[in-house]
Amino acid sequence: MHFLSDELDHYVTLHSENEPELLAQLNKETHQKILQPRMLSGHFQGRVLSMLSKIIHPNNILEIGTYTGYATLCLAEGLAENGTIDTIDVNEELVDFQRKYFDKSQWATQIFQHLGNALDIIPNLNKKYDLVFIDADKDNYINYFHAIVPMMNKGGIILSDNVLWSGKVLEDVKPNDVSTKVLLEYNQLLKNDERVETVLLPIRDGLTVSRVK
C-alpha cells in the first residue's frame, strides 16, 4: 500500500509530527487484536488527516468507515470548539473498541458512532458538513459521493482513501475485480464532476482531496 521505498517512507514519517501517545496505543492494540490492521491509517497518513482538519477547522465531520477509530481521532484534532463527528461503520464487533479510545480522548462527547449501512444512515443525519472522509467499501464510493455532495457546505472538503488501490488502477482489470473497476470510475468522476475540484495525492494508498465549489 506504499508507493515510496521503506527508507523514504521512514524519513518522511521521521520528519513529520510525532504520533500522539493515545494514537500510538490504539495503533499497537489494533495490530495485536484486530483483523486486517493494514486498514489502519497509521502515523504518517494520520498526521496528514490531522493537518488537513486543522486547516479546515470544521464544525461538522462525517467519516464513512470507522474501523478502530484511528482516523476519527486524527480528524477530531481540527474540530471547532463545539464541532461534531459522525462516524459510520457496519462492524458491530468494533463498536466497543472504538468507544474505549474515543472516551479516552478530549473529544469523547463530540464523536457519534453510527452502526449500519452508510447509505441508509447518511440521509437521516440532517447536518451540513465541512469535512468528509470516505474510507469504507470501495464498491460504494460513487454512491457515497453522490449521497454526501448535497450535504456539504460550500468550500467543504471530501477526502477519499485508497484511490490508488495498491497500484491496481494502472493494471489490466480482472473481470471479477469490481472494486478496481469502481475506483477507476470514481477517480474519473472526481476529475470531471463540476461540483468539485480535485487533487489526487500519492500518499500511502492514494488520498484524494476534493473541494466542493
Side-chain angles (χ1 to χ4, degrees), residues 146-181:
H146 288 306
I148 63 177
V149 168
M151 301 175 67
M152 299 293 297
N153 284 316
K154 184 176 181 179
I157 299 296
I158 300 169
L159 304 175
S160 307
D161 200 15
N162 304 116
V163 291
L164 294 179
W165 208 221
S166 299
K168 291 181 182 179
V169 292
L170 296 179
E171 301 171 359
D172 292 333
V173 182
K174 297 178 181 178
N176 62 344
D177 188 353
V178 176
S179 295
T180 301
K181 290 179 182 177

Side-chain angles (χ1 to χ4, degrees), residues 100-135:
K100 178 175 72 172
Y101 281 94
F102 295 161
D103 286 345
K104 288 181 178 181
S105 78
Q106 67 189 76
W107 305 282
T109 61
Q110 297 169 271
I111 299 174
F112 299 92
Q113 294 164 282
H114 303 270
L115 179 64
N117 186 317
L119 293 172
D120 294 331
I121 293 169
I122 290 170
N124 297 312
L125 292 175
N126 297 317
K127 288 183 184 177
K128 284 286 190 178
Y129 291 97
D130 307 295
L131 177 59
V132 173
F133 183 43
I134 303 176
D135 188 20

Side-chain angles (χ1 to χ4, degrees), residues 9-10 17 24 31 59 68 73 154 165 175 177:
D9 185 71
H10 177 70
E17 284 294 309
H31 279 82
N59 285 303
T68 56
L73 291 171
K154 184 176 181 179
W165 208 221
D177 188 353

Side-chain angles (χ1 to χ4, degrees), residues 2 7 32 42 46-47 52-53 60 68 70 74 78 83-84 113 160 167 170 181-182 188 197:
H2 293 269
E7 293 81 7
Q32 290 174 336
R47 292 306 87 204
L52 290 171
S53 185
N60 293 314
T68 56
Y70 189 99
C74 293
T84 65
Q113 294 164 282
S160 307
L170 296 179
K181 290 179 182 177
V182 171
Q188 198 62 46
E197 52 185 328

Side-chain angles (χ1 to χ4, degrees), residues 17 39 41 57 69 165 175 183 187 192 197-198:
E17 284 294 309
M39 291 172 58
S41 290
H57 198 48
W165 208 221
L183 282 172
N187 290 339
N192 296 331
E197 52 185 328
T198 291

